[in-house]
Amino acid sequence: MHFTAVSYCAMIGTESHQCAVQLSLAFGTMAYPLRSEVVRLYKNLLYLGREYPKGAGYFRDRLKSAFLNNKDVKDPKMIKQMIARGEFVIKELEALYYLRKYRAMKKRYYEPEE
């Protein structure tokens, strides 16, 4: 049986808004303990995708489809593995951007070698 925080507070005889808020927070963290990490990962990747060489739209579409393909995964171990892979992708994107910046600086300030 599924209860909302408000219906549970009404069942136990407490009509307090504070009770409902506390229970909804507790139920939310119990039901999806890794949700905040996944949302944080998505936001970080979306932010990093703004400078992607093929364009932000291309990156955003690929990112959205990757997350939507895995939306039904419920196993915490699999979710943690996917989060670790996402963190790896973040590191790779940062390396790509640093390399691009380095090449641009080198091209700008050093003479071409012949």
Side-chain angles (χ1 to χ4, degrees), residues 17-84:
H17 175 69
Q18 184 179 7
C19 174
V21 169
Q22 287 176 347
L23 284 172
S24 65
L25 290 174
F27 285 146
T29 57
M30 285 174 24
Y32 305 106
L34 298 172
R35 185 179 190 281
S36 63
E37 289 183 52
V38 172
V39 170
R40 179 191 50 81
L41 178 68
Y42 185 82
K43 286 181 179 182
N44 286 344
L45 284 166
L46 195 59
Y47 178 78
L48 286 173
R50 295 181 312 151
E51 298 179 31
Y52 194 69
K54 289 189 175 183
Y58 173 82
F59 187 86
R60 185 179 51 248
D61 293 341
R62 299 276 311 256
L63 178 67
K64 185 177 179 180
S65 68
F67 273 76
L68 286 176
N69 287 340
N70 296 312
K71 72 179 182 178
D72 296 325
V73 176
K74 302 290 184 205
D75 183 27
K77 287 184 180 180
M78 280 296 294
I79 295 172
K80 287 179 183 179
Q81 286 177 350
M82 290 179 200
I83 290 172

